[in-house]
Amino acid sequence: MMRRALGLGGLLVMGAAIAAIGTLSHRTYPFYGVIAVVVMTFTGALFARAWHDWAGLALYSGAWAIVVFLLAQAGPGGSVLIVEDALGYTYLLGSAAAIVLVSFTPSFLIKGREHVA
């Protein structure tokens, strides 16, 4: 029981970390940075679903969504980290689509046929 709780907690931290890294670095190299961040989000979601199935994916994506929401707010001086332009929308929609894609992927493609009940 403790092992599962620690694993789920790790996925929660991983979702928050990937969201923070992605939000802070998606503009580093225009479009290459966005592609790298979307791939990182997809890989994290795939790992979460493979490790702890739906509970893991739910915690990962929930933490990702909360951190991105908080970091997308305007700062005290009015500055924003996710600008409403092509890069910002590509990051938000691409990462969200990556998580949705993982949720629609059949379990046997993620875990193999011998591990699916």
Side-chain angles (χ1 to χ4, degrees), residues 16-112:
I18 286 178
I21 291 168
T23 302
L24 295 173
S25 66
H26 73 278
R27 292 189 165 276
T28 305
Y29 298 103
F31 288 108
Y32 295 114
V34 171
I35 292 168
V37 168
V38 170
V39 168
M40 180 175 62
T41 304
F42 175 79
T43 306
L46 193 63
F47 176 76
R49 179 145 179 235
W51 193 18
H52 282 288
D53 210 33
W54 293 109
L57 184 63
L59 283 174
Y60 170 85
S61 59
W64 182 89
I66 289 170
V67 170
V68 167
F69 172 75
L70 291 175
L71 291 176
Q73 303 300 311
S79 63
V80 291
L81 294 173
I82 302 176
V83 181
E84 294 180 10
D85 63 353
L87 287 175
Y89 285 130
T90 304
Y91 164 61
L92 284 176
L93 298 176
S95 295
I99 292 172
V100 169
L101 180 67
V102 169
S103 70
F104 281 110
T105 304
S107 292
F108 71 88
L109 289 177
I110 297 173
K111 294 184 177 185

